[in-house]
mmCIF file with all atom_site columns, all heavy atoms in Angstrom:
data_model
loop_
_atom_site.group_PDB
_atom_site.id
_atom_site.type_symbol
_atom_site.label_atom_id
_atom_site.label_alt_id
_atom_site.label_comp_id
_atom_site.label_asym_id
_atom_site.label_entity_id
_atom_site.label_seq_id
_atom_site.pdbx_PDB_ins_code
_atom_site.Cartn_x
_atom_site.Cartn_y
_atom_site.Cartn_z
_atom_site.occupancy
_atom_site.B_iso_or_equiv
_atom_site.pdbx_formal_charge
_atom_site.auth_seq_id
_atom_site.auth_comp_id
_atom_site.auth_asym_id
_atom_site.auth_atom_id
_atom_site.pdbx_PDB_model_num
ATOM   1   N N   . SER B 1 137 ? -24.191 -3.062  18.177 1.00 95.00 ? 137 SER B N   1
ATOM   2   C CA  . SER B 1 137 ? -23.670 -2.162  19.214 1.00 95.00 ? 137 SER B CA  1
ATOM   3   C C   . SER B 1 137 ? -23.856 -2.774  20.606 1.00 95.00 ? 137 SER B C   1
ATOM   4   O O   . SER B 1 137 ? -23.008 -2.613  21.461 1.00 95.00 ? 137 SER B O   1
ATOM   5   C CB  . SER B 1 137 ? -24.409 -0.834  19.163 1.00 95.00 ? 137 SER B CB  1
ATOM   6   O OG  . SER B 1 137 ? -24.042 -0.134  17.972 1.00 95.00 ? 137 SER B OG  1
ATOM   7   N N   . THR B 1 163 ? -14.892 -8.910  9.189  1.00 98.00 ? 163 THR B N   1
ATOM   8   C CA  . THR B 1 163 ? -13.893 -8.448  8.212  1.00 98.00 ? 163 THR B CA  1
ATOM   9   C C   . THR B 1 163 ? -12.891 -9.561  7.934  1.00 98.00 ? 163 THR B C   1
ATOM   10  O O   . THR B 1 163 ? -12.418 -10.208 8.885  1.00 98.00 ? 163 THR B O   1
ATOM   11  C CB  . THR B 1 163 ? -13.163 -7.212  8.776  1.00 98.00 ? 163 THR B CB  1
ATOM   12  O OG1 . THR B 1 163 ? -14.110 -6.202  9.061  1.00 98.00 ? 163 THR B OG1 1
ATOM   13  C CG2 . THR B 1 163 ? -12.122 -6.664  7.797  1.00 98.00 ? 163 THR B CG2 1
ATOM   14  N N   . HIS B 1 183 ? -23.353 -10.526 29.753 1.00 96.00 ? 183 HIS B N   1
ATOM   15  C CA  . HIS B 1 183 ? -22.020 -10.299 29.166 1.00 96.00 ? 183 HIS B CA  1
ATOM   16  C C   . HIS B 1 183 ? -20.955 -11.084 29.909 1.00 96.00 ? 183 HIS B C   1
ATOM   17  O O   . HIS B 1 183 ? -19.888 -11.391 29.343 1.00 96.00 ? 183 HIS B O   1
ATOM   18  C CB  . HIS B 1 183 ? -21.687 -8.806  29.058 1.00 96.00 ? 183 HIS B CB  1
ATOM   19  C CG  . HIS B 1 183 ? -21.393 -8.164  30.377 1.00 96.00 ? 183 HIS B CG  1
ATOM   20  N ND1 . HIS B 1 183 ? -22.315 -7.468  31.100 1.00 96.00 ? 183 HIS B ND1 1
ATOM   21  C CD2 . HIS B 1 183 ? -20.246 -8.117  31.091 1.00 96.00 ? 183 HIS B CD2 1
ATOM   22  C CE1 . HIS B 1 183 ? -21.766 -7.021  32.218 1.00 96.00 ? 183 HIS B CE1 1
ATOM   23  N NE2 . HIS B 1 183 ? -20.509 -7.404  32.228 1.00 96.00 ? 183 HIS B NE2 1
ATOM   24  N N   . ARG B 1 184 ? -21.184 -11.422 31.170 1.00 97.00 ? 184 ARG B N   1
ATOM   25  C CA  . ARG B 1 184 ? -20.212 -12.191 31.929 1.00 97.00 ? 184 ARG B CA  1
ATOM   26  C C   . ARG B 1 184 ? -20.233 -13.688 31.580 1.00 97.00 ? 184 ARG B C   1
ATOM   27  O O   . ARG B 1 184 ? -19.474 -14.486 32.138 1.00 97.00 ? 184 ARG B O   1
ATOM   28  C CB  . ARG B 1 184 ? -20.426 -12.005 33.429 1.00 97.00 ? 184 ARG B CB  1
ATOM   29  C CG  . ARG B 1 184 ? -20.060 -10.600 33.855 1.00 97.00 ? 184 ARG B CG  1
ATOM   30  C CD  . ARG B 1 184 ? -20.144 -10.410 35.329 1.00 97.00 ? 184 ARG B CD  1
ATOM   31  N NE  . ARG B 1 184 ? -19.852 -9.016  35.679 1.00 97.00 ? 184 ARG B NE  1
ATOM   32  C CZ  . ARG B 1 184 ? -20.149 -8.456  36.805 1.00 97.00 ? 184 ARG B CZ  1
ATOM   33  N NH1 . ARG B 1 184 ? -20.777 -9.127  37.746 1.00 97.00 ? 184 ARG B NH1 1
ATOM   34  N NH2 . ARG B 1 184 ? -19.833 -7.169  37.017 1.00 97.00 ? 184 ARG B NH2 1
ATOM   35  N N   . LYS B 1 238 ? -14.799 -8.777  28.242 1.00 98.00 ? 238 LYS B N   1
ATOM   36  C CA  . LYS B 1 238 ? -13.702 -7.855  28.593 1.00 98.00 ? 238 LYS B CA  1
ATOM   37  C C   . LYS B 1 238 ? -12.569 -7.938  27.560 1.00 98.00 ? 238 LYS B C   1
ATOM   38  O O   . LYS B 1 238 ? -11.941 -6.927  27.214 1.00 98.00 ? 238 LYS B O   1
ATOM   39  C CB  . LYS B 1 238 ? -13.171 -8.139  29.986 1.00 98.00 ? 238 LYS B CB  1
ATOM   40  C CG  . LYS B 1 238 ? -14.015 -7.512  31.038 1.00 98.00 ? 238 LYS B CG  1
ATOM   41  C CD  . LYS B 1 238 ? -13.335 -7.431  32.362 1.00 98.00 ? 238 LYS B CD  1
ATOM   42  C CE  . LYS B 1 238 ? -14.337 -6.875  33.334 1.00 98.00 ? 238 LYS B CE  1
ATOM   43  N NZ  . LYS B 1 238 ? -13.911 -6.861  34.708 1.00 98.00 ? 238 LYS B NZ  1
ATOM   44  N N   . ASP B 1 245 ? -10.483 -1.425  22.009 1.00 98.00 ? 245 ASP B N   1
ATOM   45  C CA  . ASP B 1 245 ? -9.764  -0.170  22.347 1.00 98.00 ? 245 ASP B CA  1
ATOM   46  C C   . ASP B 1 245 ? -8.574  0.000   21.392 1.00 98.00 ? 245 ASP B C   1
ATOM   47  O O   . ASP B 1 245 ? -8.336  1.091   20.870 1.00 98.00 ? 245 ASP B O   1
ATOM   48  C CB  . ASP B 1 245 ? -9.285  -0.158  23.787 1.00 98.00 ? 245 ASP B CB  1
ATOM   49  C CG  . ASP B 1 245 ? -10.410 0.087   24.793 1.00 98.00 ? 245 ASP B CG  1
ATOM   50  O OD1 . ASP B 1 245 ? -11.499 0.514   24.324 1.00 98.00 ? 245 ASP B OD1 1
ATOM   51  O OD2 . ASP B 1 245 ? -10.193 -0.135  25.998 1.00 98.00 ? 245 ASP B OD2 1
ATOM   52  N N   . ARG B 1 248 ? -9.726  0.640   17.745 1.00 98.00 ? 248 ARG B N   1
ATOM   53  C CA  . ARG B 1 248 ? -10.251 1.964   17.449 1.00 98.00 ? 248 ARG B CA  1
ATOM   54  C C   . ARG B 1 248 ? -9.146  2.968   17.160 1.00 98.00 ? 248 ARG B C   1
ATOM   55  O O   . ARG B 1 248 ? -9.350  3.926   16.383 1.00 98.00 ? 248 ARG B O   1
ATOM   56  C CB  . ARG B 1 248 ? -11.131 2.426   18.642 1.00 98.00 ? 248 ARG B CB  1
ATOM   57  C CG  . ARG B 1 248 ? -12.434 1.651   18.667 1.00 98.00 ? 248 ARG B CG  1
ATOM   58  C CD  . ARG B 1 248 ? -13.243 1.750   19.934 1.00 98.00 ? 248 ARG B CD  1
ATOM   59  N NE  . ARG B 1 248 ? -14.431 0.870   19.831 1.00 98.00 ? 248 ARG B NE  1
ATOM   60  C CZ  . ARG B 1 248 ? -15.219 0.552   20.826 1.00 98.00 ? 248 ARG B CZ  1
ATOM   61  N NH1 . ARG B 1 248 ? -14.994 1.008   22.050 1.00 98.00 ? 248 ARG B NH1 1
ATOM   62  N NH2 . ARG B 1 248 ? -16.260 -0.243  20.612 1.00 98.00 ? 248 ARG B NH2 1
ATOM   63  N N   . ARG B 1 320 ? -5.736  1.330   31.296 1.00 97.00 ? 320 ARG B N   1
ATOM   64  C CA  . ARG B 1 320 ? -6.534  1.327   30.067 1.00 97.00 ? 320 ARG B CA  1
ATOM   65  C C   . ARG B 1 320 ? -6.336  2.630   29.305 1.00 97.00 ? 320 ARG B C   1
ATOM   66  O O   . ARG B 1 320 ? -6.026  3.637   29.844 1.00 97.00 ? 320 ARG B O   1
ATOM   67  C CB  . ARG B 1 320 ? -8.028  1.152   30.433 1.00 97.00 ? 320 ARG B CB  1
ATOM   68  C CG  . ARG B 1 320 ? -8.416  -0.307  30.614 1.00 97.00 ? 320 ARG B CG  1
ATOM   69  C CD  . ARG B 1 320 ? -9.772  -0.491  31.206 1.00 97.00 ? 320 ARG B CD  1
ATOM   70  N NE  . ARG B 1 320 ? -10.831 0.236   30.473 1.00 97.00 ? 320 ARG B NE  1
ATOM   71  C CZ  . ARG B 1 320 ? -12.107 0.175   30.793 1.00 97.00 ? 320 ARG B CZ  1
ATOM   72  N NH1 . ARG B 1 320 ? -12.505 -0.608  31.762 1.00 97.00 ? 320 ARG B NH1 1
ATOM   73  N NH2 . ARG B 1 320 ? -12.989 0.845   30.084 1.00 97.00 ? 320 ARG B NH2 1
ATOM   74  N N   . THR B 1 322 ? -8.855  3.466   27.002 1.00 98.00 ? 322 THR B N   1
ATOM   75  C CA  . THR B 1 322 ? -10.195 3.487   26.391 1.00 98.00 ? 322 THR B CA  1
ATOM   76  C C   . THR B 1 322 ? -10.592 4.906   25.950 1.00 98.00 ? 322 THR B C   1
ATOM   77  O O   . THR B 1 322 ? -11.085 5.127   24.841 1.00 98.00 ? 322 THR B O   1
ATOM   78  C CB  . THR B 1 322 ? -11.218 2.970   27.422 1.00 98.00 ? 322 THR B CB  1
ATOM   79  O OG1 . THR B 1 322 ? -10.776 1.700   27.872 1.00 98.00 ? 322 THR B OG1 1
ATOM   80  C CG2 . THR B 1 322 ? -12.604 2.843   26.800 1.00 98.00 ? 322 THR B CG2 1
ATOM   81  N N   . GLU B 1 372 ? -16.162 -1.086  14.344 1.00 98.00 ? 372 GLU B N   1
ATOM   82  C CA  . GLU B 1 372 ? -15.387 -1.056  15.613 1.00 98.00 ? 372 GLU B CA  1
ATOM   83  C C   . GLU B 1 372 ? -15.998 -0.043  16.607 1.00 98.00 ? 372 GLU B C   1
ATOM   84  O O   . GLU B 1 372 ? -15.271 0.574   17.400 1.00 98.00 ? 372 GLU B O   1
ATOM   85  C CB  . GLU B 1 372 ? -13.908 -0.842  15.357 1.00 98.00 ? 372 GLU B CB  1
ATOM   86  C CG  . GLU B 1 372 ? -13.390 -2.002  14.470 1.00 98.00 ? 372 GLU B CG  1
ATOM   87  C CD  . GLU B 1 372 ? -11.912 -2.172  14.445 1.00 98.00 ? 372 GLU B CD  1
ATOM   88  O OE1 . GLU B 1 372 ? -11.258 -1.830  15.426 1.00 98.00 ? 372 GLU B OE1 1
ATOM   89  O OE2 . GLU B 1 372 ? -11.395 -2.701  13.437 1.00 98.00 ? 372 GLU B OE2 1
ATOM   90  N N   . GLY B 1 373 ? -17.314 0.079   16.544 1.00 98.00 ? 373 GLY B N   1
ATOM   91  C CA  . GLY B 1 373 ? -18.039 0.986   17.446 1.00 98.00 ? 373 GLY B CA  1
ATOM   92  C C   . GLY B 1 373 ? -18.453 2.252   16.686 1.00 98.00 ? 373 GLY B C   1
ATOM   93  O O   . GLY B 1 373 ? -17.556 3.007   16.278 1.00 98.00 ? 373 GLY B O   1
ATOM   94  N N   . ARG B 1 384 ? -19.642 8.269   29.465 1.00 98.00 ? 384 ARG B N   1
ATOM   95  C CA  . ARG B 1 384 ? -19.718 7.444   30.703 1.00 98.00 ? 384 ARG B CA  1
ATOM   96  C C   . ARG B 1 384 ? -18.421 7.580   31.516 1.00 98.00 ? 384 ARG B C   1
ATOM   97  O O   . ARG B 1 384 ? -18.474 7.695   32.739 1.00 98.00 ? 384 ARG B O   1
ATOM   98  C CB  . ARG B 1 384 ? -19.904 5.983   30.349 1.00 98.00 ? 384 ARG B CB  1
ATOM   99  C CG  . ARG B 1 384 ? -21.323 5.561   30.034 1.00 98.00 ? 384 ARG B CG  1
ATOM   100 C CD  . ARG B 1 384 ? -21.288 4.096   29.657 1.00 98.00 ? 384 ARG B CD  1
ATOM   101 N NE  . ARG B 1 384 ? -22.604 3.539   29.419 1.00 98.00 ? 384 ARG B NE  1
ATOM   102 C CZ  . ARG B 1 384 ? -22.822 2.260   29.097 1.00 98.00 ? 384 ARG B CZ  1
ATOM   103 N NH1 . ARG B 1 384 ? -21.819 1.427   28.965 1.00 98.00 ? 384 ARG B NH1 1
ATOM   104 N NH2 . ARG B 1 384 ? -24.046 1.791   28.927 1.00 98.00 ? 384 ARG B NH2 1
ATOM   105 N N   . ARG B 1 390 ? -18.526 4.637   34.649 1.00 72.00 ? 390 ARG B N   1
ATOM   106 C CA  . ARG B 1 390 ? -17.861 3.379   34.428 1.00 72.00 ? 390 ARG B CA  1
ATOM   107 C C   . ARG B 1 390 ? -16.465 3.410   35.002 1.00 72.00 ? 390 ARG B C   1
ATOM   108 O O   . ARG B 1 390 ? -15.809 4.463   34.938 1.00 72.00 ? 390 ARG B O   1
ATOM   109 C CB  . ARG B 1 390 ? -17.742 3.069   32.917 1.00 72.00 ? 390 ARG B CB  1
ATOM   110 C CG  . ARG B 1 390 ? -19.031 2.578   32.305 1.00 72.00 ? 390 ARG B CG  1
ATOM   111 C CD  . ARG B 1 390 ? -19.475 1.218   32.832 1.00 72.00 ? 390 ARG B CD  1
ATOM   112 N NE  . ARG B 1 390 ? -20.659 0.728   32.178 1.00 72.00 ? 390 ARG B NE  1
ATOM   113 C CZ  . ARG B 1 390 ? -21.914 1.062   32.496 1.00 72.00 ? 390 ARG B CZ  1
ATOM   114 N NH1 . ARG B 1 390 ? -22.125 1.904   33.453 1.00 72.00 ? 390 ARG B NH1 1
ATOM   115 N NH2 . ARG B 1 390 ? -22.955 0.554   31.856 1.00 72.00 ? 390 ARG B NH2 1
HETATM 116 N N1  . CAA I 2 .   ? -11.876 -2.505  28.526 1.00 87.44 ? 401 CAA I N1  1
HETATM 117 C C1  . CAA I 2 .   ? -12.020 -3.472  29.479 1.00 87.44 ? 401 CAA I C1  1
HETATM 118 N N2  . CAA I 2 .   ? -13.203 -3.768  30.015 1.00 87.44 ? 401 CAA I N2  1
HETATM 119 C C2  . CAA I 2 .   ? -14.291 -3.093  29.589 1.00 87.44 ? 401 CAA I C2  1
HETATM 120 C C3  . CAA I 2 .   ? -14.217 -2.097  28.628 1.00 87.44 ? 401 CAA I C3  1
HETATM 121 C C4  . CAA I 2 .   ? -12.935 -1.816  28.062 1.00 87.44 ? 401 CAA I C4  1
HETATM 122 N N3  . CAA I 2 .   ? -12.802 -0.886  27.132 1.00 87.44 ? 401 CAA I N3  1
HETATM 123 N N4  . CAA I 2 .   ? -15.447 -1.610  28.387 1.00 87.44 ? 401 CAA I N4  1
HETATM 124 C C5  . CAA I 2 .   ? -16.303 -2.276  29.220 1.00 87.44 ? 401 CAA I C5  1
HETATM 125 N N5  . CAA I 2 .   ? -15.565 -3.161  29.955 1.00 87.44 ? 401 CAA I N5  1
HETATM 126 C C6  . CAA I 2 .   ? -16.091 -4.057  30.984 1.00 87.44 ? 401 CAA I C6  1
HETATM 127 C C7  . CAA I 2 .   ? -16.782 -3.254  32.079 1.00 87.44 ? 401 CAA I C7  1
HETATM 128 O O1  . CAA I 2 .   ? -15.841 -2.886  33.073 1.00 87.44 ? 401 CAA I O1  1
HETATM 129 C C8  . CAA I 2 .   ? -17.786 -4.240  32.605 1.00 87.44 ? 401 CAA I C8  1
HETATM 130 O O2  . CAA I 2 .   ? -17.146 -5.140  33.486 1.00 87.44 ? 401 CAA I O2  1
HETATM 131 P P1  . CAA I 2 .   ? -17.943 -5.960  34.641 1.00 87.44 ? 401 CAA I P1  1
HETATM 132 O O3  . CAA I 2 .   ? -18.527 -7.142  33.974 1.00 87.44 ? 401 CAA I O3  1
HETATM 133 O O4  . CAA I 2 .   ? -16.886 -6.328  35.594 1.00 87.44 ? 401 CAA I O4  1
HETATM 134 O O5  . CAA I 2 .   ? -18.996 -5.046  35.198 1.00 87.44 ? 401 CAA I O5  1
HETATM 135 C C9  . CAA I 2 .   ? -18.196 -5.010  31.378 1.00 87.44 ? 401 CAA I C9  1
HETATM 136 O O6  . CAA I 2 .   ? -17.144 -4.833  30.431 1.00 87.44 ? 401 CAA I O6  1
HETATM 137 C C10 . CAA I 2 .   ? -19.484 -4.508  30.759 1.00 87.44 ? 401 CAA I C10 1
HETATM 138 O O7  . CAA I 2 .   ? -19.342 -3.148  30.479 1.00 87.44 ? 401 CAA I O7  1
HETATM 139 P P2  . CAA I 2 .   ? -20.579 -2.201  30.228 1.00 87.44 ? 401 CAA I P2  1
HETATM 140 O O8  . CAA I 2 .   ? -21.554 -2.361  31.375 1.00 87.44 ? 401 CAA I O8  1
HETATM 141 O O9  . CAA I 2 .   ? -20.076 -0.831  29.910 1.00 87.44 ? 401 CAA I O9  1
HETATM 142 O O10 . CAA I 2 .   ? -21.237 -2.882  28.955 1.00 87.44 ? 401 CAA I O10 1
HETATM 143 P P3  . CAA I 2 .   ? -22.444 -2.436  28.039 1.00 87.44 ? 401 CAA I P3  1
HETATM 144 O O11 . CAA I 2 .   ? -23.262 -3.637  27.770 1.00 87.44 ? 401 CAA I O11 1
HETATM 145 O O12 . CAA I 2 .   ? -23.096 -1.223  28.596 1.00 87.44 ? 401 CAA I O12 1
HETATM 146 O O13 . CAA I 2 .   ? -21.712 -2.107  26.663 1.00 87.44 ? 401 CAA I O13 1
HETATM 147 C C11 . CAA I 2 .   ? -20.529 -0.826  25.081 1.00 87.44 ? 401 CAA I C11 1
HETATM 148 C C12 . CAA I 2 .   ? -20.689 -1.246  26.526 1.00 87.44 ? 401 CAA I C12 1
HETATM 149 C C13 . CAA I 2 .   ? -19.487 0.276   25.104 1.00 87.44 ? 401 CAA I C13 1
HETATM 150 C C14 . CAA I 2 .   ? -21.790 -0.262  24.462 1.00 87.44 ? 401 CAA I C14 1
HETATM 151 C C15 . CAA I 2 .   ? -19.975 -2.023  24.253 1.00 87.44 ? 401 CAA I C15 1
HETATM 152 O O14 . CAA I 2 .   ? -20.988 -3.000  24.130 1.00 87.44 ? 401 CAA I O14 1
HETATM 153 C C16 . CAA I 2 .   ? -19.512 -1.666  22.883 1.00 87.44 ? 401 CAA I C16 1
HETATM 154 O O15 . CAA I 2 .   ? -18.354 -1.186  22.726 1.00 87.44 ? 401 CAA I O15 1
HETATM 155 N N6  . CAA I 2 .   ? -20.347 -1.887  21.849 1.00 87.44 ? 401 CAA I N6  1
HETATM 156 C C17 . CAA I 2 .   ? -19.896 -1.679  20.430 1.00 87.44 ? 401 CAA I C17 1
HETATM 157 C C18 . CAA I 2 .   ? -19.377 -2.987  19.898 1.00 87.44 ? 401 CAA I C18 1
HETATM 158 C C19 . CAA I 2 .   ? -18.513 -2.801  18.701 1.00 87.44 ? 401 CAA I C19 1
HETATM 159 O O16 . CAA I 2 .   ? -17.635 -1.957  18.661 1.00 87.44 ? 401 CAA I O16 1
HETATM 160 N N7  . CAA I 2 .   ? -18.734 -3.636  17.681 1.00 87.44 ? 401 CAA I N7  1
HETATM 161 C C20 . CAA I 2 .   ? -17.936 -3.651  16.513 1.00 87.44 ? 401 CAA I C20 1
HETATM 162 C C21 . CAA I 2 .   ? -17.432 -5.052  16.334 1.00 87.44 ? 401 CAA I C21 1
HETATM 163 S S1  . CAA I 2 .   ? -15.982 -5.306  15.379 1.00 87.44 ? 401 CAA I S1  1
HETATM 164 C C22 . CAA I 2 .   ? -16.348 -4.872  13.788 1.00 87.44 ? 401 CAA I C22 1
HETATM 165 O O17 . CAA I 2 .   ? -16.709 -3.783  13.577 1.00 87.44 ? 401 CAA I O17 1
HETATM 166 C C23 . CAA I 2 .   ? -16.182 -5.847  12.680 1.00 87.44 ? 401 CAA I C23 1
HETATM 167 C C24 . CAA I 2 .   ? -14.814 -6.026  12.227 1.00 87.44 ? 401 CAA I C24 1
HETATM 168 O O18 . CAA I 2 .   ? -14.430 -7.136  11.799 1.00 87.44 ? 401 CAA I O18 1
HETATM 169 C C25 . CAA I 2 .   ? -13.894 -4.883  12.115 1.00 87.44 ? 401 CAA I C25 1
#
Side-chain angles (χ1 to χ4, degrees):
S137 291
T163 301
H183 72 264
R184 290 184 183 163
K238 278 196 185 174
D245 285 346
R248 288 166 184 168
R320 276 169 53 176
T322 307
E372 300 198 29
R384 278 178 176 182
R390 284 292 184 279

